[in-house]
């Protein structure tokens, strides 16, 4: 069970990933539930890998993701998980 930082679209409490199915190597279908018992919202969506920031050391030849350059601030925040700003994407 994982908490994602995105809020419930209805009450803005945290959403919990209750279940998931791997649809492809880069797409996972996720089933979400609002943590707020008084709300009770559930939904589904996708967690997908859309681009590559740095190349892998052991690449899968079936995976061909576009390379993307991201802003330095995001990389710095990623290196310090205590910072919250990267988690809102
Ligand atoms: Zn909710």
């Amino acid at each position: 069970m994982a908490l994602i930082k995105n809020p419930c679209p209805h009450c803005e409490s945290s959403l919990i990933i209750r279940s998931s199915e791997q649809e492809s190597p880069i797409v996972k279908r996720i089933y979400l539930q609002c943590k707020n018992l008084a709300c009770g919202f559930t939904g589904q969506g996708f967690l997908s890998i859309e681009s590559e920031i740095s190349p892998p050391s052991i690449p899968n030849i079936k995976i061909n993701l576009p390379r993307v350059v991201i802003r330095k601030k995001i990389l710095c925040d990623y290196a310090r998980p205590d910072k919250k700003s990267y988690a809102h994407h």
Side-chain angles (χ1 to χ4, degrees), residues 30-47:
I30 55 176
Y31 298 93
L32 304 152
Q33 184 174 43
C34 179
K35 198 176 161 190
N36 179 356
L37 290 176
C39 173
F41 171 74
T42 59
Q44 68 166 344
F46 293 98
L47 183 64

Side-chain angles (χ1 to χ4, degrees), residues 12-79:
E12 300 185 359
S13 294
S14 297
L15 290 170
I16 297 168
I17 298 175
R18 298 297 302 191
S19 184
S20 64
E21 295 166 358
Q22 198 73 37
E23 300 261 328
S24 82
I26 59 171
V27 177
K28 181 174 263 192
R29 183 188 298 270
I30 55 176
Y31 298 93
L32 304 152
Q33 184 174 43
C34 179
K35 198 176 161 190
N36 179 356
L37 290 176
C39 173
F41 171 74
T42 59
Q44 68 166 344
F46 293 98
L47 183 64
S48 65
I49 301 170
E50 297 175 334
S51 54
E52 173 180 290
I53 298 167
S54 61
S57 299
I58 46 171
N60 179 345
I61 58 168
K62 296 175 190 163
I63 304 299
N64 186 17
L65 294 167
R67 176 70 67 83
V68 66
V69 176
I70 62 174
R71 286 174 290 134
K72 190 177 176 185
K73 182 182 183 311
I74 293 172
L75 282 176
C76 290
D77 288 349
Y78 180 75

